[in-house]
């Protein structure tokens, strides 16, 4: 009898252990808004290229912060102008005509994306970053570890810039969503793009290095998508492409000006309104729906 009780106890313990293990295995957050390197862009939706709303929330306001992860972020030669430049980029995107290119998209109860974007500054983590393309859960864990819990907010967008090149990965950046201690957050990942022709916008703005220009362009891509599709269930087209995906590697002009007077070569974003009224510039598929704040009067709240 005693042996059977012991077996029953051990069986129950094993069942509890398995249950706890299953609970600990959280699903990997999906990778969306992938900014593919040049030549790797998937085919565009053709029948009706407009994006549709899938019922999810949008960001009416956005709080941003940057994380620079990797040992090289302690090396001034590697850092160059990248940290100060991205600080300037994030401080200028709010209230700019470029920021307003995502403002036409709405969410539940008539809520609307607004270019009310604030910057909480950057964090530097000098521990070793992943050497190769990381899982989304790895980047989420970095956000949860580095950003103080008291500073995490549900409308937060946390961008992680590693010091490693993309190597054989066929993309430059992506964004996703997850949870830190019960707070739902948006986050993004960026490779180091120094000397990377596949992720280079070929900017002619003389005040910025090539590596900074490349990061600024993909930063605009991911932030625009995080605002209009923060939980990956709001705005995208029939092929799954979000507003920046649809205009990747196409530019309306040589640069856009942000609200702090800085200039950057940044790709445009898709506007249903511009496409429906033939007001945008063409994307790589020839669809006239791209706007960057220079080619169509904004904000795009139609």
């Amino acid at each position: 009898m005693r042996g059977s009780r012991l077996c029953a106890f051990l069986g129950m313990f094993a069942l509890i252990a398995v249950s706890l293990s299953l609970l600990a295995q959280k699903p990997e957050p999906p990778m969306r808004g992938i900014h593919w390197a040049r030549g790797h862009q998937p085919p565009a939706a053709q029948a009706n290229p407009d994006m549709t709303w899938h019922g999810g929330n949008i960001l009416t306001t956005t709080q941003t912060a940057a994380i620079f992860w990797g040992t090289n972020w302690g090396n001034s030669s590697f850092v160059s102008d990248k940290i100060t430049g991205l600080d300037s980029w994030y401080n200028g995107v709010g209230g700019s005509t470029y920021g307003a290119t995502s403002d036409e998209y709405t969410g539940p109860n008539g809520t609307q994306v607004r270019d009310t974007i604030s910057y909480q500054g950057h964090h530097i983590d000098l521990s070793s970053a992943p050497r190769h393309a990381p899982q989304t859960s790895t980047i989420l864990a970095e956000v949860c570890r580095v950003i103080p819990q008291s500073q995490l907010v549900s409308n937060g967008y946390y961008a992680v810039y590693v010091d490693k090149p993309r190597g054989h990965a066929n993309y430059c950046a992506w964004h996703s969503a997850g949870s830190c201690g019960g707070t739902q957050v948006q986050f993004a990942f960026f490779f180091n793009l120094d000397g990377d022709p596949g992720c280079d916008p070929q900017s002619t703005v003389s005040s910025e290095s090539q590596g900074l220009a490349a990061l600024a362009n993909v930063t605009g891509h991911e932030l625009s998508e995080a605002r209009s599709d923060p939980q990956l269930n709001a705005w995208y087209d029939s092929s799954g492409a979000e507003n920046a995906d649809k205009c990747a590697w196409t530019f309306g002009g040589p640069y856009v000006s942000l609200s702090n007077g800085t200039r950057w070569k940044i790709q445009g974003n898709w506007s249903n309104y511009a496409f429906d009224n033939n007001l945008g510039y063409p994307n790589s598929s020839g669809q006239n729906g791209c706007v960057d704040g220079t080619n169509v009067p904004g904000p795009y709240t139609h």
Side-chain angles (χ1 to χ4, degrees):
M1 180 69 71
R2 184 174 299 173
S4 62
R5 287 180 178 175
L6 178 60
C7 289
F9 174 77
L10 291 175
M12 183 177 296
F13 180 80
L15 181 62
I16 292 173
V18 170
S19 298
L20 291 174
S21 176
L22 291 173
L23 287 173
Q25 294 175 7
K26 296 181 180 179
E28 184 77 7
M31 185 187 297
R32 288 289 293 272
I34 299 173
H35 196 307
W36 301 100
R38 291 181 183 272
H40 294 278
Q41 187 80 4
Q46 295 297 329
N48 180 4
D50 275 347
M51 300 199 304
T52 57
W53 181 51
H54 294 79
N57 291 323
I58 47 82
L59 292 183
T60 56
T61 63
T62 310
Q63 292 189 34
T64 63
I67 297 172
F68 298 96
W69 185 14
T71 57
N72 284 317
W73 291 112
N75 181 333
S76 59
S77 296
F78 171 82
V79 172
S80 182
D81 60 348
K82 290 192 282 287
I83 293 180
T84 56
L86 287 170
D87 283 346
S88 180
W89 192 98
Y90 280 110
N91 277 314
V93 66
S96 66
T97 54
Y98 168 77
T101 59
S102 297
D103 285 5
E104 74 178 70
Y105 298 108
T106 57
N109 302 315
T111 55
Q112 188 165 359
V113 176
R114 296 290 185 188
D115 51 304
T116 305
I117 306 167
S118 59
Y119 185 48
Q120 308 304 313
H122 69 259
H123 303 260
I124 298 176
D125 177 3
L126 295 179
S127 66
S128 295
R131 292 182 59 84
H132 305 291
Q135 292 186 304
T136 52
S137 57
T138 300
I139 302 305
L140 175 60
E142 172 71 358
V143 170
C144 299
R145 185 170 68 90
V146 172
I147 305 294
Q149 182 66 35
S150 60
Q151 296 180 20
L152 290 167
V153 290
S154 59
N155 66 331
Y157 167 85
Y158 305 102
V160 179
Y161 299 87
V162 300
D163 61 348
K164 301 297 190 292
R166 66 184 176 93
H168 297 295
N170 58 3
Y171 63 85
C172 315
W174 48 258
H175 78 100
S176 187
S179 177
C180 289
T183 301
Q184 191 71 34
V185 297
Q186 293 65 231
F187 62 99
F189 167 77
F190 304 84
F191 284 114
N192 167 39
L193 303 179
D194 290 355
D196 186 336
C199 298
D200 187 354
Q202 301 174 352
S203 174
T204 58
V205 179
S206 60
S207 59
E208 61 198 34
S209 68
Q210 175 274 329
L212 171 59
L215 288 177
N217 179 52
V218 294
T219 292
H221 180 118
E222 302 304 336
L223 178 58
S224 296
E225 294 176 332
R227 293 168 58 211
S228 55
D229 191 26
Q231 299 301 309
L232 319 181
N233 59 359
W235 286 92
Y236 49 88
D237 70 13
S238 59
S239 69
E242 298 170 315
N243 62 334
D245 294 328
K246 295 175 66 61
C247 297
W249 300 120
T250 61
F251 303 87
Y255 60 82
V256 299
S257 297
L258 299 187
S259 60
N260 58 1
T262 57
R263 296 177 175 181
W264 308 88
K265 186 172 183 180
I266 312 174
Q267 65 152 84
N269 294 312
W270 183 265
S271 164
N272 285 349
Y273 176 84
F275 176 76
D276 295 345
N277 292 277
N278 198 31
L279 293 173
Y281 71 84
N283 62 11
S284 58
S285 297
Q287 299 159 336
N288 293 328
C290 296
V291 293
D292 67 358
T294 66
N295 59 316
V296 179
Y300 309 96
T301 54
H302 305 283

